[in-house]
């Protein structure tokens, strides 16, 4: 019989840029130009106009941190279940960072990366959706932007609580190697989500959830109040107890951090 060898899948593309406005913008341009490759990573040594949640900017020191966007086809995930992808990315970031920073690494709702009470990273997911002739929409692409502080030790004064891996460990790291590691970890979690479902990722999210069962100060509209954080629902709502148990959508409530 002729010898047959099983094909070894090629590694996903990893694009390394010296400088860019935003890795998410670059990834979106690839999608719109029909040049995007599924599971590709886009890394930049310098990001001059990075984007954060709710229109905020994500400032990062040149050649010191992770600015990474990962492009995936999320068709196995319902468009109505976008929190599953958000949690998947948060778990990947937590697993990655905890490898170096330890068990104090937590996920702050909905998908910020925290070490103790300080912010180490954030995630911004942008979607490309198309309309079907039969009605409804198809989730064509998702761009998962992940920013993590690695070697930076000086931050703008208006950032209330930043922290970097170097500040935690006293060591200097190679951001490119760490970005490739994070890229790989995310794809492992994404495969878990798309082949086995949300359960394991959701359990890990809750097990490493920032301030779980602790009292915090929250603000809704112009009202500040204390509440005990209980959990996050499978649909991504924050569940807090303050005399009553209440659920909050993302953007409906702010944390008041010291």
């Amino acid at each position: 019989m002729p010898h047959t060898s099983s094909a070894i899948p090629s590694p996903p593309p990893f694009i390394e840029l010296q400088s860019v406005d935003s890795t998410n913008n670059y990834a979106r341009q690839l999608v719109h130009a029909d040049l995007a490759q599924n599971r590709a990573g886009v890394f930049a040594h310098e990001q001059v106009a990075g984007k954060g949640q709710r229109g905020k900017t994500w400032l990062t020191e040149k050649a010191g941190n992770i600015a990474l966007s990962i492009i995936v086809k999320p068709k196995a995930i319902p468009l109505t279940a976008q929190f599953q992808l958000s949690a998947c990315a948060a778990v990947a970031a937590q697993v990655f960072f905890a490898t170096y920073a330890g068990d104090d690494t937590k996920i702050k709702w909905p998908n910020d990366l925290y070490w103790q009470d300080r912010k180490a990273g954030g995630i911004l997911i942008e979607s490309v959706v198309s309309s079907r002739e039969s009605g409804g929409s198809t989730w064509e692409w998702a761009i998962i932007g992940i920013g993590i502080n690695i070697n930076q030790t000086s931050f703008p004064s208006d950032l209330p609580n930043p922290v970097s891996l170097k500040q935690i460990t006293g060591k200097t790291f190679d951001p490119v190697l760490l970005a490739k590691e994070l890229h790989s970890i995310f794809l492992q979690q994404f495969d878990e989500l798309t082949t086995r479902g949300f359960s394991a990722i959701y359990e890990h999210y809750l097990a490493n959830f920032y301030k779980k069962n602790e009292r915090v100060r929250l603000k809704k509209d112009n009202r500040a109040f204390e509440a005990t954080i209980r959990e996050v629902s499978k649909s991504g709502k924050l569940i807090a107890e303050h005399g009553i148990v209440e659920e909050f959508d993302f953007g409906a409530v702010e944390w008041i951090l010291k």
Side-chain angles (χ1 to χ4, degrees):
M1 295 180 61
H3 174 72
T4 58
S5 60
S6 57
I8 299 174
S10 58
F14 187 87
I15 301 168
E16 186 177 340
L17 306 171
Q18 289 303 312
S19 182
V20 72
D21 57 348
S22 157
T23 56
N24 266 29
N25 282 350
Y26 186 93
R28 181 177 285 273
Q29 290 167 7
L30 291 178
V31 169
H32 289 315
D34 201 26
L35 296 173
Q37 292 177 269
N38 189 28
R39 304 167 71 87
V42 178
F43 170 85
H45 291 269
E46 181 183 39
Q47 184 174 243
V48 297
K51 295 185 286 186
Q53 292 280 10
R54 301 171 70 186
K56 297 179 181 179
T57 58
W58 180 267
L59 300 175
T60 182
E61 190 175 82
K62 184 177 180 180
N65 302 310
I66 290 177
L68 174 69
S69 294
I70 304 169
I71 309 168
V72 296
K73 283 186 170 291
K75 289 186 177 180
I77 309 167
L79 189 55
T80 55
Q82 294 188 44
F83 175 68
Q84 293 184 9
L85 184 59
S86 175
C88 175
V91 165
Q94 191 277 333
V95 168
F96 159 77
F97 203 79
T99 301
Y100 300 94
D103 292 340
D104 284 334
T105 306
K106 302 295 181 184
I107 300 166
K108 177 177 171 289
W109 177 78
N111 54 22
D112 281 340
L113 182 65
Y114 263 56
W115 183 82
Q116 294 185 359
D117 290 323
R118 302 169 70 184
K119 185 174 179 178
I123 296 168
L124 175 66
I125 298 177
E126 298 181 287
S127 299
V128 177
V129 177
S130 65
S131 299
R132 295 193 298 263
E133 291 183 2
S134 59
S137 300
T138 299
W139 197 0
E140 297 289 350
W141 295 95
I143 301 166
I144 300 95
I146 307 175
I148 298 180
N149 301 325
I150 301 299
N151 293 324
Q152 189 166 343
T153 57
S154 177
F155 295 90
S157 59
D158 59 338
L159 295 180
N161 57 344
V163 70
S164 70
L165 198 53
K166 184 173 183 177
Q167 289 176 320
I168 296 167
T169 66
K171 300 176 182 178
T172 300
F173 298 86
D174 184 333
V176 178
L177 291 180
L178 292 192
K180 289 180 177 179
E181 181 182 342
L182 175 59
H183 183 202
S184 177
I185 292 172
F186 171 80
L187 292 178
Q188 291 170 16
Q189 297 296 331
F190 183 70
D191 289 342
E192 169 75 24
L193 175 61
T194 55
T195 59
R196 299 186 182 181
F198 187 45
S199 294
I201 289 171
Y202 181 62
E203 289 174 9
H204 186 104
Y205 184 103
L206 292 183
N208 295 276
F209 181 40
Y210 178 69
K211 294 295 186 183
K212 185 177 182 180
N213 294 324
E214 295 184 29
R215 289 192 70 77
V216 303
R217 285 185 60 77
L218 299 174
K219 182 180 179 182
K220 183 177 182 182
D221 300 324
N222 294 320
R223 177 173 62 97
F225 57 97
E226 285 196 351
T228 300
I229 300 298
R230 292 305 184 197
E231 61 179 353
V232 175
S233 71
K234 284 191 173 182
S235 63
K237 293 184 178 181
L238 179 69
I239 300 174
E241 183 176 354
H242 55 109
I244 61 170
V245 176
E246 191 170 358
E247 296 185 352
F248 299 98
D249 288 315
F250 173 63
V253 66
E254 296 179 44
W255 299 66
I256 302 176
L257 300 173
K258 296 179 181 178

